[in-house]
Amino acid sequence: YNASCYPLGPGRAIKFTTDEPTGIAETPLSGEVGRRGLAVVPSLFRGAAMVHWNLGRDGDAEVRVFDASGRLVRTLASGPAKAGSYGVVWDGRDERGCRVARGIYFVRLTTSEQTVRVKAILTE
């Protein structure tokens, strides 16, 4: 098993790299929401995924989904929030309610203290 590739079928693979071809810097996924503040479970999904985030203090928070070219797909949460843990389901749809194409998406949490990004891959 090669952790840098996810097999898609004979002769096809998506290679995960640390370079930033989309211009969106990605924070490496540790799988631990508590330390990072953001996680998508599962990160490789069909239909829907759960987005979890933690806020260390009260303040404004914004959770948005972007496509691989950096365009905003959907805002999942935005506004003032109390410190604590949150979660929302992203159903693979854009702001208009239309199903988005399969591919790589970036979920970004922005607060006054930090911006954290994780990758999510929609397979169908």
Side-chain angles (χ1 to χ4, degrees):
Y1 174 74
N2 183 344
S4 67
C5 291
Y6 176 79
L8 297 175
R12 295 178 29 176
I14 295 174
K15 182 169 175 59
F16 297 101
T17 65
T18 56
D19 44 307
E20 302 169 14
T22 63
I24 300 172
E26 180 189 358
T27 308
L29 180 61
S30 71
E32 186 178 327
V33 178
R35 188 175 61 148
R36 295 187 19 94
L38 178 66
V40 177
V41 179
S43 60
L44 176 66
F45 69 99
R46 282 183 191 184
M50 189 72 181
V51 178
H52 299 276
W53 68 95
N54 290 332
L55 299 178
R57 64 173 62 168
D58 296 357
D60 288 334
E62 185 175 77
V63 179
R64 291 183 165 183
V65 179
F66 295 87
D67 66 15
S69 65
R71 290 179 296 225
L72 176 64
V73 172
R74 187 161 179 193
T75 300
L76 299 175
S78 182
K82 299 275 186 195
S85 297
Y86 295 85
V88 66
V89 173
W90 178 43
D91 58 3
R93 297 183 184 276
D94 64 14
E95 295 284 10
R96 299 172 297 155
C98 299
R99 192 90 175 128
V100 298
R102 64 184 174 187
I104 298 173
Y105 292 88
F106 296 90
V107 179
R108 183 179 76 190
L109 167 66
T110 305
T111 69
S112 60
E113 299 175 325
Q114 67 176 349
T115 297
V116 180
R117 296 167 190 88
V118 295
K119 189 183 303 181
I121 302 171
L122 177 61
T123 62
E124 285 185 29

